[in-house]
Amino acid sequence: MGMLSLPGFLSCGKKKDVNFTYDGDTSCTDENLERGNWANKAEYLLSMVGYAVGLGNVWRFPYLAYQNGGGAFLIPYTVMLALAGLPLFFMECSIGQFASQGPISVWRMLPLFQGVGITMVILSTFVTIYYNVIIAYALYYLFASFQKVLPWSDCFSWSDELCSKTKIVNDCNTTFHGNIIRANYSFLTANNLSCINGTITYKPVQFPTEQYWNKVALQRSSGLDETGRVVWYLALCLLLAWIIVAGALYKGIKSSGKVVYFTALFPYVILFVLLVRGATLEGALDGIEYYIGRESNITKLMEAEVWKDAATQIFFSLSTAWGGLVALSSYNKFHNNCYSDAILVCVINCATSVFAGFAIFSILGHMAFVSQRPVSEVVDSGFELAFVAYPEALSQLPVSPLWSFMFFFMLVLLGLDSQFASIETITTSIHDINPSMMKKLRGPITVGVCAVLFLFGLVCVTQAGIYWVNLIDHFCAGWGLLITASLEIIGVAYIYGGKRFIQDIEMMIGKKTNSFWLWWKICWFFITPVLLIAVLIWSLTTFSNPTYGSVKYPAWGNILGWCMIIFSIIWIPIVAIVKILKAEGTLLERLVSCCRPASNWGPYLECHRGERYSHMVDPKKMENEIPTVSAIVYKRR
């Protein structure tokens, strides 16, 4: 079709030609017609909440709180939110919004550290591979819940002799013909004998949910060495998960922004329903007391590991240093109040963790009551909570298929929201490399990315799949992120310059007083980097090879894990060296020039640059990313 020119009063901002062929679904509400913007603030906030609030809020925080002093754990958790989580979260949101660039291109602000952005994207890519596998697990259990009797509610044909919902006597002392003998259970039953109190030993038994998880859902092999076959129903669930992700992101934020109205909000409805149902059950109060009630132990605050757990949980829960916060914020309008957004999202995230704990522990308390065990014996975290302990608790409720469906539907939605942002991180980085191509082919490229990641994920749905999931999580979702976060905050605060960064933020949200910035300066310059480095050192010194339960990994598996993390972080020194080599002048001059913003760093749109960035060149010109001694040096005003 031809090109038509609209009158000025009908055009969006600056008068320009309009092509009526599809090229990215821009609208008159978009400030940035090249990249597009969120349709409204609600879509952005829901996307950010969906990204930050993930599976860890449900299956990790409640267990950490229980393990580290119950209600007392909220003290270090809140302190670490203020000192480490919020400052880094606010920084990443501000950087992305200011430059309207993804996690790689924003490092035009400090070209020497551009490898940090590459590392973020690579780590996000590794995690998306296995994260969708977890969603596939939840989808499988979701579909399995459409039965009158839940298939894991009892020991059915798939179970072995160790499967039992109650304790099984192994042997005991008994009186036989006037003598006290040690007899096994079969001898006792054959001769109608009873055990002497205090002499009973029990067989190690497994609950039906545990055997169902290992034998049916996973068809788990003996270890990483035994790959086995692809579990076809998990592969289909994985394919479905990727189809959902690709469909939601086909038009980028224009489509995902609509989807999150449901995927980000409905989990709260389910959590509330589960909490109300759990609170009406016998034993619920015991579970809540263990979680955050009278079992709270304030003396736990004297232990350094409690503070380390709080810092680690805050850091990973808020999804900082993955690149997703930068990517999502890059689609904001320039004058959006990213300050209030950061505080709101962080508070919602932490409140969700606490709220989810009540829903989880109320039902676990009922499970402990029914099985006549202490709550401490039924509490777990991670896969064991989501696919063993909690399904066992739900199977004991009336109308158990309904509650099971709701729980796993919630897990699916929580996982999808985080996955949307992770894939958007990858596609945004591609967009920054070639905006014109991405604008025309965003849909096919997004589908292509999802298809490739689906193929990589097939190894995670083999009989050894759970070992692969655990391996990638162990190496790629740990201290590699702490390295990128530490370099990020040090680079922005100390090399790019905290004063310059604050001036950038004020261009977006308006001038603030010195007292307003005092707290942020203290955190960015000292407290947050010190905490991150301390947690990083702790993580490195306490690092151990991965295991899954009692199963140890072969040497080649550990080597592969190290190769994954080395491949992720090695781009930091490689890119730094390349930048220095391509610069001009002496070694010192090259180093100094690479520590200055590139000539194409600044606000994406010319109307927002003002005097400070009046000499900025077109941000779409990639060749300007390598600064030289003769490049324009922005003054710190």
Side-chain angles (χ1 to χ4, degrees), residues 400-411:
S400 56
L402 172 63
W403 304 113
S404 178
F405 168 81
M406 293 182 68
F407 174 71
F408 288 110
F409 188 45
M410 178 187 69
L411 290 187

Side-chain angles (χ1 to χ4, degrees), residues 542-564:
T542 59
F543 184 83
S544 60
N545 288 328
T547 59
Y548 182 78
S550 60
V551 179
K552 295 183 178 180
Y553 279 68
W556 66 266
N558 293 322
I559 293 172
L560 182 61
W562 281 106
C563 288
M564 285 190 290

Side-chain angles (χ1 to χ4, degrees), residues 271-585:
L271 270 178
F272 179 75
V273 172
L274 289 174
L275 174 60
V276 171
R277 182 66 184 101
T280 62
L281 299 171
E282 288 186 281
L285 184 59
D286 292 333
I288 293 174
E289 292 284 5
Y290 262 88
Y291 168 51
I292 210 167
R294 64 172 179 264
E295 298 291 333
S296 297
N297 183 4
I298 198 72
T299 61
K300 278 276 190 179
L301 301 185
M302 303 301 293
E303 299 176 14
E305 188 159 352
V306 172
W307 292 85
K308 187 269 294 183
D309 284 345
T312 304
Q313 176 63 18
I314 277 290
F315 176 74
F316 290 110
S317 175
L318 292 176
S319 301
T320 51
W322 291 104
L325 299 179
V326 177
L328 294 178
S329 298
S330 71
Y331 296 102
N332 273 335
K333 294 182 179 179
F334 187 77
H335 292 294
N336 174 65
N337 192 340
C338 53
Y339 168 74
S340 60
D341 292 347
I343 293 177
L344 179 62
V345 174
C346 287
V347 170
I348 291 175
N349 174 74
C350 296
T352 301
S353 296
V354 177
F355 180 66
F358 286 100
I360 297 296
F361 270 82
S362 61
I363 292 183
L364 289 181
H366 174 68
M367 173 183 173
F369 173 81
V370 172
S371 59
Q372 297 182 342
R373 290 179 294 161
V375 177
S376 57
E377 289 188 11
V378 302
V379 173
D380 220 322
S381 66
F383 294 119
E384 286 71 25
L385 172 65
F387 300 108
V388 178
Y390 210 72
E392 172 69 21
L394 294 174
S395 68
Q396 298 174 6
L397 300 179
V399 201
S400 56
L402 172 63
W403 304 113
S404 178
F405 168 81
M406 293 182 68
F407 174 71
F408 288 110
F409 188 45
M410 178 187 69
L411 290 187
V412 169
L413 296 180
L414 288 173
L416 285 174
D417 279 332
S418 299
Q419 193 74 340
F420 292 160
S422 297
I423 297 300
E424 190 62 51
T425 302
I426 300 171
T427 55
T428 297
S429 300
I430 297 173
H431 179 278
D432 292 341
I433 295 173
N434 195 327
S436 59
M437 178 190 71
M438 193 64 179
K439 192 174 182 181
K440 296 177 181 177
L441 300 174
R442 172 175 283 276
I445 290 174
T446 300
V447 172
V449 168
C450 292
V452 170
L453 294 176
F454 164 71
L455 294 176
F456 278 122
L458 284 176
V459 70
C460 296
V461 290
T462 61
Q463 290 179 282
I466 191 65
Y467 303 113
W468 285 101
V469 169
N470 189 56
L471 181 72
I472 301 173
D473 178 68
H474 188 82
F475 281 96
C476 296
W479 51 265
L481 284 175
L482 293 170
I483 291 176
T484 59
S486 301
L487 290 175
E488 178 182 40
I489 198 163
I490 290 171
V492 173
Y494 285 96
I495 304 178
Y496 179 73
K499 182 179 179 181
R500 176 190 287 168
F501 180 55
I502 288 173
Q503 290 174 339
D504 291 343
I505 298 175
E506 288 182 335
M507 289 177 66
M508 298 184 291
I509 67 174
K511 190 75 175 177
K512 302 295 180 181
T513 62
N514 288 331
S515 58
F516 174 89
W517 292 113
L518 180 61
W519 171 255
W520 300 104
K521 288 179 179 178
I522 293 173
C523 290
W524 287 334
F525 280 98
F526 178 69
I527 298 177
T528 306
V530 168
L531 285 174
L532 286 173
I533 293 172
V535 174
L536 172 60
I537 294 173
W538 188 307
S539 299
L540 290 173
T541 54
T542 59
F543 184 83
S544 60
N545 288 328
T547 59
Y548 182 78
S550 60
V551 179
K552 295 183 178 180
Y553 279 68
W556 66 266
N558 293 322
I559 293 172
L560 182 61
W562 281 106
C563 288
M564 285 190 290
I565 189 62
I566 290 172
F567 174 75
S568 300
I569 65 177
I570 200 171
W571 297 100
I572 298 174
I574 287 177
V575 172
I577 292 171
V578 170
K579 296 287 185 182
I580 292 173
L581 292 177
K582 287 189 175 183
E584 298 176 357

Side-chain angles (χ1 to χ4, degrees), residues 9 265 538:
F9 65 89
L265 292 176
W538 188 307

